[in-house]
Amino acid sequence: MYSLAFSILFVSFIILTLLVRFWLASRHIRHVLAHRSAVPAEFAEKIPLAAHQKAADYTIARTRFGLLTLMVNTLVLVGFTLLGGLQWLSLQIFQVTGPGMTYQLALLAAFTLISGAIDLPFDYYKQFNLEQRFGFNKMSKGLFFTDMVKGALLGAAIGLPLLWVVLTLMAKAGDLWWLYTWIVWSGFQLLIMVLYPTVIAPLFNKFTPLEDQSLKARIEGLMQRVGFASKGLFVMDGSRRSAHGNAYFSGFGAAKRIVFFDTLLARLQPQEIEAVLAHELGHFKLKHIIKRIAMMFAISLGFLALLGYLKTQPWFYDGLGVNPVLLPGQGNDAMALLLFMLVLPVFTFLFNPLTSIGSRKHEFEADAFAAKHTDARDLVSALVKMYEDNASTLTPDPLHSAFYDSHPPASVRIRQLNLAAQA
Ligand SMILES: [Zn+2]
Protein backbone atom coordinates (compact mmCIF):
# COMPACT_ATOMS: atom_id res chain seq x y z
CA MET A 1 0.00 0.00 0.00
CA TYR A 2 2.62 2.52 1.13
CA SER A 3 4.85 1.44 -1.74
CA LEU A 4 2.22 2.25 -4.32
CA ALA A 5 1.44 5.57 -2.66
CA PHE A 6 5.13 6.45 -2.70
CA SER A 7 5.47 5.45 -6.38
CA ILE A 8 2.53 7.70 -7.21
CA LEU A 9 3.99 10.58 -5.20
CA PHE A 10 7.35 10.12 -6.94
CA VAL A 11 5.79 10.12 -10.41
CA SER A 12 3.68 13.16 -9.54
CA PHE A 13 6.76 15.11 -8.48
CA ILE A 14 8.61 14.06 -11.66
CA ILE A 15 5.73 15.32 -13.79
CA LEU A 16 5.37 18.51 -11.79
CA THR A 17 9.10 19.21 -12.06
CA LEU A 18 9.06 18.55 -15.81
CA LEU A 19 6.07 20.84 -16.33
CA VAL A 20 7.60 23.68 -14.31
CA ARG A 21 10.96 23.36 -16.07
CA PHE A 22 9.42 23.28 -19.55
CA TRP A 23 7.18 26.21 -18.73
CA LEU A 24 10.08 28.29 -17.40
CA ALA A 25 12.28 27.40 -20.37
CA SER A 26 9.63 28.33 -22.92
CA ARG A 27 8.97 31.65 -21.14
CA HIS A 28 12.71 32.33 -21.11
CA ILE A 29 13.16 31.56 -24.81
CA ARG A 30 10.16 33.72 -25.77
CA HIS A 31 11.37 36.59 -23.60
CA VAL A 32 14.91 36.52 -24.99
CA LEU A 33 13.61 36.30 -28.58
CA ALA A 34 11.25 39.22 -28.02
CA HIS A 35 14.19 41.41 -26.93
CA ARG A 36 16.65 40.13 -29.52
CA SER A 37 16.24 42.94 -32.05
CA ALA A 38 17.53 45.76 -29.85
CA VAL A 39 20.10 46.21 -27.09
CA PRO A 40 18.30 47.39 -23.91
CA ALA A 41 18.52 51.19 -23.68
CA GLU A 42 20.79 51.27 -20.62
CA PHE A 43 23.40 49.14 -22.43
CA ALA A 44 22.98 50.64 -25.89
CA GLU A 45 26.24 52.57 -25.77
CA LYS A 46 28.26 49.79 -24.25
CA ILE A 47 27.26 46.60 -26.03
CA PRO A 48 27.06 46.22 -29.82
CA LEU A 49 23.91 44.72 -31.36
CA ALA A 50 25.86 41.75 -32.74
CA ALA A 51 27.07 40.81 -29.23
CA HIS A 52 23.54 41.18 -27.85
CA GLN A 53 22.18 38.88 -30.53
CA LYS A 54 24.94 36.37 -29.99
CA ALA A 55 24.00 36.31 -26.29
CA ALA A 56 20.35 35.73 -27.23
CA ASP A 57 21.23 32.86 -29.58
CA TYR A 58 23.62 31.32 -27.07
CA THR A 59 21.04 31.56 -24.27
CA ILE A 60 18.37 29.92 -26.42
CA ALA A 61 20.72 27.16 -27.57
CA ARG A 62 21.72 26.41 -23.97
CA THR A 63 18.12 26.43 -22.76
CA ARG A 64 17.05 24.01 -25.51
CA PHE A 65 19.99 21.77 -24.78
CA GLY A 66 19.00 21.87 -21.10
CA LEU A 67 15.54 20.58 -22.01
CA LEU A 68 17.02 17.74 -24.03
CA THR A 69 19.26 16.62 -21.17
CA LEU A 70 16.34 17.03 -18.76
CA MET A 71 14.25 14.60 -20.79
CA VAL A 72 17.07 12.09 -21.08
CA ASN A 73 17.88 12.33 -17.38
CA THR A 74 14.24 11.80 -16.48
CA LEU A 75 14.07 8.69 -18.66
CA VAL A 76 17.26 7.39 -17.07
CA LEU A 77 15.89 8.07 -13.58
CA VAL A 78 12.66 6.21 -14.31
CA GLY A 79 14.64 3.41 -15.98
CA PHE A 80 16.85 2.94 -12.96
CA THR A 81 13.99 3.06 -10.47
CA LEU A 82 10.43 2.22 -11.52
CA LEU A 83 11.43 0.20 -14.58
CA GLY A 84 13.76 -1.96 -12.52
CA GLY A 85 17.21 -0.96 -13.78
CA LEU A 86 18.81 -0.80 -10.34
CA GLN A 87 17.17 -4.04 -9.26
CA TRP A 88 18.59 -5.78 -12.33
CA LEU A 89 22.03 -4.24 -11.89
CA SER A 90 22.22 -5.21 -8.24
CA LEU A 91 21.25 -8.82 -9.01
CA GLN A 92 23.95 -9.10 -11.66
CA ILE A 93 26.60 -7.82 -9.28
CA PHE A 94 25.29 -9.87 -6.37
CA GLN A 95 25.66 -13.06 -8.41
CA VAL A 96 29.34 -12.30 -8.92
CA THR A 97 30.33 -10.91 -5.54
CA GLY A 98 27.85 -12.33 -3.05
CA PRO A 99 26.80 -10.16 -0.10
CA GLY A 100 29.15 -7.79 1.67
CA MET A 101 31.20 -4.65 1.20
CA THR A 102 32.53 -5.64 -2.23
CA TYR A 103 29.00 -5.97 -3.54
CA GLN A 104 28.03 -2.58 -2.15
CA LEU A 105 31.05 -0.72 -3.50
CA ALA A 106 30.72 -2.52 -6.85
CA LEU A 107 27.08 -1.49 -7.09
CA LEU A 108 27.90 2.17 -6.48
CA ALA A 109 30.86 2.05 -8.88
CA ALA A 110 28.82 0.34 -11.60
CA PHE A 111 26.03 2.88 -11.26
CA THR A 112 28.50 5.76 -11.47
CA LEU A 113 30.15 4.29 -14.58
CA ILE A 114 26.82 3.69 -16.32
CA SER A 115 25.50 7.18 -15.63
CA GLY A 116 28.87 8.63 -16.67
CA ALA A 117 28.67 6.71 -19.95
CA ILE A 118 25.15 8.04 -20.57
CA ASP A 119 26.25 11.62 -19.87
CA LEU A 120 29.36 11.39 -22.01
CA PRO A 121 27.83 12.04 -25.48
CA PHE A 122 25.94 15.02 -24.04
CA ASP A 123 29.02 16.49 -22.40
CA TYR A 124 30.91 15.96 -25.65
CA TYR A 125 28.20 17.58 -27.74
CA LYS A 126 27.99 20.51 -25.36
CA GLN A 127 31.72 21.19 -25.49
CA PHE A 128 32.46 20.49 -29.17
CA ASN A 129 29.22 21.62 -30.72
CA LEU A 130 27.36 24.12 -28.56
CA GLU A 131 30.31 25.90 -26.92
CA GLN A 132 32.34 25.52 -30.11
CA ARG A 133 29.68 27.19 -32.26
CA PHE A 134 29.77 30.30 -30.08
CA GLY A 135 33.55 30.39 -29.92
CA PHE A 136 33.87 29.39 -26.26
CA ASN A 137 35.48 26.00 -26.60
CA LYS A 138 39.27 26.13 -26.33
CA MET A 139 39.66 22.47 -25.44
CA SER A 140 41.27 19.83 -27.62
CA LYS A 141 39.56 16.45 -27.77
CA GLY A 142 42.64 14.95 -26.15
CA LEU A 143 42.28 17.29 -23.17
CA PHE A 144 38.56 16.48 -22.91
CA PHE A 145 39.27 12.77 -22.55
CA THR A 146 42.31 13.28 -20.29
CA ASP A 147 40.12 15.38 -17.99
CA MET A 148 37.52 12.65 -17.99
CA VAL A 149 39.98 9.89 -17.07
CA LYS A 150 41.66 12.04 -14.42
CA GLY A 151 38.28 12.98 -12.97
CA ALA A 152 37.19 9.33 -12.80
CA LEU A 153 40.45 8.22 -11.14
CA LEU A 154 40.31 11.07 -8.67
CA GLY A 155 36.65 10.29 -7.94
CA ALA A 156 37.52 6.65 -7.27
CA ALA A 157 40.55 7.53 -5.12
CA ILE A 158 38.51 9.90 -2.96
CA GLY A 159 35.05 8.36 -3.27
CA LEU A 160 35.70 4.68 -2.61
CA PRO A 161 37.43 5.12 0.79
CA LEU A 162 34.79 7.66 1.82
CA LEU A 163 31.98 5.29 0.81
CA TRP A 164 33.69 2.47 2.64
CA VAL A 165 33.63 4.56 5.84
CA VAL A 166 30.00 5.59 5.34
CA LEU A 167 28.83 2.04 4.56
CA THR A 168 30.71 0.70 7.58
CA LEU A 169 28.98 3.28 9.80
CA MET A 170 25.61 2.43 8.25
CA ALA A 171 26.14 -1.25 8.99
CA LYS A 172 27.80 -1.10 12.39
CA ALA A 173 27.17 2.18 14.18
CA GLY A 174 23.59 1.49 15.29
CA ASP A 175 20.54 3.72 15.02
CA LEU A 176 22.51 6.93 15.14
CA TRP A 177 24.74 6.00 12.18
CA TRP A 178 23.45 9.04 10.30
CA LEU A 179 24.76 11.39 12.98
CA TYR A 180 28.27 9.87 12.87
CA THR A 181 28.11 9.87 9.10
CA TRP A 182 27.23 13.55 9.21
CA ILE A 183 30.31 14.28 11.31
CA VAL A 184 32.52 12.31 8.90
CA TRP A 185 30.88 13.95 5.88
CA SER A 186 31.28 17.47 7.28
CA GLY A 187 34.92 16.83 8.15
CA PHE A 188 35.47 15.45 4.68
CA GLN A 189 33.93 18.56 3.08
CA LEU A 190 36.23 20.81 5.10
CA LEU A 191 39.23 18.69 4.16
CA ILE A 192 38.36 18.97 0.46
CA MET A 193 38.07 22.75 0.81
CA VAL A 194 41.57 22.84 2.26
CA LEU A 195 43.04 20.41 -0.28
CA TYR A 196 41.26 21.74 -3.34
CA PRO A 197 43.44 24.78 -4.12
CA THR A 198 46.79 23.14 -3.46
CA VAL A 199 46.27 19.49 -4.39
CA ILE A 200 43.20 18.96 -6.58
CA ALA A 201 42.90 22.04 -8.80
CA PRO A 202 46.58 21.85 -9.90
CA LEU A 203 45.86 18.38 -11.35
CA PHE A 204 43.73 20.08 -13.98
CA ASN A 205 45.18 23.57 -14.37
CA LYS A 206 48.42 25.43 -14.09
CA PHE A 207 48.60 28.13 -11.42
CA THR A 208 51.32 30.75 -11.69
CA PRO A 209 51.91 33.60 -9.24
CA LEU A 210 50.60 36.90 -10.53
CA GLU A 211 53.57 38.69 -12.04
CA ASP A 212 52.16 42.04 -13.05
CA GLN A 213 53.76 44.15 -10.29
CA SER A 214 51.52 47.21 -10.57
CA LEU A 215 48.36 45.07 -10.53
CA LYS A 216 49.79 43.14 -7.61
CA ALA A 217 50.45 46.33 -5.67
CA ARG A 218 46.94 47.56 -6.43
CA ILE A 219 45.37 44.30 -5.20
CA GLU A 220 47.55 44.14 -2.11
CA GLY A 221 46.45 47.69 -1.32
CA LEU A 222 42.82 46.61 -1.58
CA MET A 223 43.40 43.56 0.65
CA GLN A 224 45.05 45.76 3.25
CA ARG A 225 42.18 48.26 3.16
CA VAL A 226 39.57 45.57 3.78
CA GLY A 227 41.76 43.49 6.10
CA PHE A 228 42.13 40.26 4.15
CA ALA A 229 45.07 37.88 4.51
CA SER A 230 45.93 35.56 1.64
CA LYS A 231 48.57 33.02 0.76
CA GLY A 232 49.02 34.51 -2.66
CA LEU A 233 47.66 35.73 -5.94
CA PHE A 234 47.57 33.24 -8.78
CA VAL A 235 46.72 33.21 -12.44
CA MET A 236 45.00 30.10 -13.78
CA ASP A 237 45.28 28.98 -17.39
CA GLY A 238 41.51 28.87 -17.89
CA SER A 239 42.07 29.63 -21.57
CA ARG A 240 43.16 26.02 -22.12
CA ARG A 241 39.55 24.96 -21.82
CA SER A 242 37.20 27.84 -22.29
CA ALA A 243 36.97 31.49 -23.24
CA HIS A 244 34.67 32.15 -20.28
CA GLY A 245 36.40 34.24 -17.61
CA ASN A 246 36.17 34.40 -13.84
CA ALA A 247 37.91 35.22 -10.56
CA TYR A 248 37.55 33.39 -7.28
CA PHE A 249 39.31 32.65 -4.09
CA SER A 250 39.56 29.30 -2.46
CA GLY A 251 40.93 27.65 0.62
CA PHE A 252 40.57 28.40 4.25
CA GLY A 253 42.17 30.38 7.04
CA ALA A 254 45.67 31.47 6.15
CA ALA A 255 45.75 29.10 3.13
CA LYS A 256 43.38 31.28 1.11
CA ARG A 257 44.38 31.88 -2.47
CA ILE A 258 43.05 34.38 -4.91
CA VAL A 259 42.79 33.01 -8.41
CA PHE A 260 42.24 34.95 -11.63
CA PHE A 261 41.47 33.27 -14.93
CA ASP A 262 43.99 34.41 -17.52
CA THR A 263 41.01 35.15 -19.79
CA LEU A 264 39.73 37.72 -17.28
CA LEU A 265 43.11 39.43 -16.83
CA ALA A 266 43.48 39.76 -20.56
CA ARG A 267 40.19 41.57 -20.89
CA LEU A 268 39.76 43.83 -17.85
CA GLN A 269 41.57 47.02 -16.87
CA PRO A 270 43.49 46.95 -13.55
CA GLN A 271 40.85 49.07 -11.76
CA GLU A 272 38.11 46.74 -13.06
CA ILE A 273 39.99 43.69 -11.80
CA GLU A 274 40.28 45.39 -8.42
CA ALA A 275 36.52 46.03 -8.36
CA VAL A 276 35.72 42.40 -9.27
CA LEU A 277 38.05 41.19 -6.54
CA ALA A 278 36.49 43.63 -4.06
CA HIS A 279 33.14 41.98 -4.79
CA GLU A 280 34.64 38.54 -4.08
CA LEU A 281 36.32 39.78 -0.89
CA GLY A 282 32.93 41.21 0.08
CA HIS A 283 31.52 37.68 0.09
CA PHE A 284 34.26 36.70 2.47
CA LYS A 285 34.19 39.76 4.73
CA LEU A 286 30.39 39.70 5.04
CA LYS A 287 30.64 36.05 6.12
CA HIS A 288 28.62 34.79 3.16
CA ILE A 289 30.96 31.87 2.70
CA ILE A 290 30.83 30.75 6.31
CA LYS A 291 27.04 31.12 6.24
CA ARG A 292 26.78 29.04 3.08
CA ILE A 293 28.92 26.30 4.61
CA ALA A 294 26.88 26.33 7.83
CA MET A 295 23.68 26.13 5.79
CA MET A 296 25.08 23.24 3.76
CA PHE A 297 26.00 21.36 6.95
CA ALA A 298 22.56 21.94 8.49
CA ILE A 299 20.79 20.76 5.35
CA SER A 300 22.94 17.65 5.05
CA LEU A 301 22.21 16.80 8.70
CA GLY A 302 18.48 16.98 7.96
CA PHE A 303 18.83 14.84 4.84
CA LEU A 304 20.96 12.23 6.61
CA ALA A 305 18.42 11.99 9.43
CA LEU A 306 15.74 11.49 6.78
CA LEU A 307 17.83 8.77 5.14
CA GLY A 308 18.28 7.19 8.58
CA TYR A 309 14.52 6.79 8.69
CA LEU A 310 13.94 5.82 5.03
CA LYS A 311 16.64 3.16 5.06
CA THR A 312 14.51 1.02 7.39
CA GLN A 313 11.22 1.46 5.48
CA PRO A 314 10.38 -1.29 2.96
CA TRP A 315 8.08 1.04 0.98
CA PHE A 316 11.01 3.33 0.20
CA TYR A 317 12.69 0.55 -1.82
CA ASP A 318 9.54 -1.11 -3.10
CA GLY A 319 8.05 2.16 -4.24
CA LEU A 320 11.20 2.86 -6.29
CA GLY A 321 11.32 -0.51 -8.02
CA VAL A 322 13.83 -2.28 -5.78
CA ASN A 323 13.33 -5.37 -3.60
CA PRO A 324 14.07 -4.35 -0.02
CA VAL A 325 16.59 -6.58 1.69
CA LEU A 326 16.45 -5.58 5.32
CA LEU A 327 18.69 -8.33 6.69
CA PRO A 328 21.89 -7.03 8.24
CA GLY A 329 24.99 -7.70 6.21
CA GLN A 330 23.05 -8.32 3.02
CA GLY A 331 24.04 -5.01 1.57
CA ASN A 332 20.97 -2.88 1.51
CA ASP A 333 22.83 0.24 2.53
CA ALA A 334 24.46 1.07 -0.79
CA MET A 335 21.05 0.74 -2.43
CA ALA A 336 19.50 3.07 0.14
CA LEU A 337 22.21 5.67 -0.52
CA LEU A 338 21.82 5.35 -4.26
CA LEU A 339 18.03 5.63 -4.26
CA PHE A 340 18.18 8.59 -1.91
CA MET A 341 20.67 10.52 -4.05
CA LEU A 342 18.70 9.70 -7.19
CA VAL A 343 15.27 10.80 -6.03
CA LEU A 344 16.11 13.66 -3.69
CA PRO A 345 16.45 16.29 -6.48
CA VAL A 346 12.95 15.41 -7.71
CA PHE A 347 11.51 16.39 -4.35
CA THR A 348 13.69 19.44 -3.72
CA PHE A 349 13.54 21.09 -7.15
CA LEU A 350 10.60 23.32 -6.29
CA PHE A 351 12.60 24.85 -3.42
CA ASN A 352 15.14 26.24 -5.89
CA PRO A 353 13.83 29.82 -5.71
CA LEU A 354 14.59 29.89 -1.97
CA THR A 355 18.29 29.31 -2.53
CA SER A 356 18.24 31.82 -5.39
CA ILE A 357 16.72 34.47 -3.12
CA GLY A 358 19.40 33.94 -0.46
CA SER A 359 22.18 34.00 -2.99
CA ARG A 360 20.91 37.18 -4.68
CA LYS A 361 20.78 38.97 -1.36
CA HIS A 362 24.45 38.11 -0.90
CA GLU A 363 25.30 39.33 -4.40
CA PHE A 364 23.74 42.73 -3.71
CA GLU A 365 25.64 42.96 -0.44
CA ALA A 366 28.93 42.04 -2.11
CA ASP A 367 28.28 44.64 -4.82
CA ALA A 368 27.64 47.27 -2.14
CA PHE A 369 30.87 46.23 -0.43
CA ALA A 370 32.79 46.64 -3.69
CA ALA A 371 31.16 50.03 -4.27
CA LYS A 372 32.30 51.13 -0.84
CA HIS A 373 35.92 50.04 -1.20
CA THR A 374 36.50 50.70 -4.89
CA ASP A 375 34.79 52.78 -7.56
CA ALA A 376 31.32 51.39 -8.37
CA ARG A 377 31.75 52.55 -11.99
CA ASP A 378 34.67 50.15 -12.38
CA LEU A 379 32.52 47.23 -11.28
CA VAL A 380 29.81 48.34 -13.71
CA SER A 381 32.20 48.41 -16.65
CA ALA A 382 33.71 45.08 -15.59
CA LEU A 383 30.25 43.51 -15.39
CA VAL A 384 29.30 44.83 -18.82
CA LYS A 385 32.47 43.31 -20.31
CA MET A 386 31.92 40.00 -18.51
CA TYR A 387 28.32 39.80 -19.71
CA GLU A 388 29.39 40.54 -23.25
CA ASP A 389 32.32 38.10 -23.20
CA ASN A 390 30.31 35.29 -21.66
CA ALA A 391 27.34 35.98 -23.99
CA SER A 392 25.09 36.12 -20.92
CA THR A 393 21.71 37.51 -21.82
CA LEU A 394 20.82 40.98 -20.55
CA THR A 395 17.13 40.21 -20.93
CA PRO A 396 16.33 37.00 -19.04
CA ASP A 397 12.72 36.13 -18.32
CA PRO A 398 12.20 37.49 -14.78
CA LEU A 399 10.53 34.32 -13.49
CA HIS A 400 13.12 32.02 -15.04
CA SER A 401 15.80 34.18 -13.48
CA ALA A 402 14.11 34.19 -10.07
CA PHE A 403 13.93 30.42 -10.17
CA TYR A 404 17.42 29.51 -11.30
CA ASP A 405 19.88 32.40 -11.20
CA SER A 406 22.27 32.76 -8.31
CA HIS A 407 22.99 36.32 -9.50
CA PRO A 408 20.45 39.09 -10.04
CA PRO A 409 20.00 40.20 -13.68
CA ALA A 410 22.75 42.53 -14.93
CA SER A 411 20.40 45.47 -15.39
CA VAL A 412 19.26 45.30 -11.75
CA ARG A 413 22.79 45.01 -10.39
CA ILE A 414 24.03 47.85 -12.53
CA ARG A 415 21.14 50.11 -11.56
CA GLN A 416 22.02 49.56 -7.88
CA LEU A 417 25.71 50.19 -8.54
CA ASN A 418 24.98 53.39 -10.45
CA LEU A 419 22.94 54.61 -7.50
CA ALA A 420 25.90 53.83 -5.23
CA ALA A 421 28.25 55.70 -7.58
CA GLN A 422 26.06 58.80 -7.44
CA ALA A 423 25.75 58.73 -3.65
ZN1 LIG B 1 29.24 37.30 -6.07
Side-chain angles (χ1 to χ4, degrees), residues 353-370:
L354 293 182
T355 38
S356 298
I357 289 172
S359 150
R360 279 149 176 254
K361 184 170 161 278
H362 286 172
E363 292 307 326
F364 281 126
E365 288 171 12
D367 278 350
F369 184 90

Side-chain angles (χ1 to χ4, degrees), residues 279-280 283 292 359 362-363 366-367 407 413:
H279 170 99
E280 294 303 323
H283 281 309
R292 211 172 306 163
S359 150
H362 286 172
E363 292 307 326
D367 278 350
H407 289 63
R413 280 178 80 182

Side-chain angles (χ1 to χ4, degrees), residues 38 42 98 124 147 159 172 187 246 306 344 361 403 409 417:
E42 68 253 56
Y124 186 90
D147 274 1
K172 306 208 163 125
N246 210 342
L306 179 62
L344 190 63
K361 184 170 161 278
F403 215 94
L417 283 166

Side-chain angles (χ1 to χ4, degrees), residues 360-413:
R360 279 149 176 254
K361 184 170 161 278
H362 286 172
E363 292 307 326
F364 281 126
E365 288 171 12
D367 278 350
F369 184 90
K372 195 170 130 200
H373 293 279
T374 59
D375 191 330
R377 283 167 299 188
D378 290 329
L379 188 53
V380 170
S381 63
L383 281 175
V384 169
K385 281 186 187 171
M386 286 159 86
Y387 267 78
E388 182 179 345
D389 289 0
N390 287 322
S392 308
T393 179
L394 297 167
T395 57
D397 172 56
L399 252 172
H400 183 276
S401 175
F403 215 94
Y404 292 109
D405 293 349
S406 60
H407 289 63
S411 54
V412 183
R413 280 178 80 182

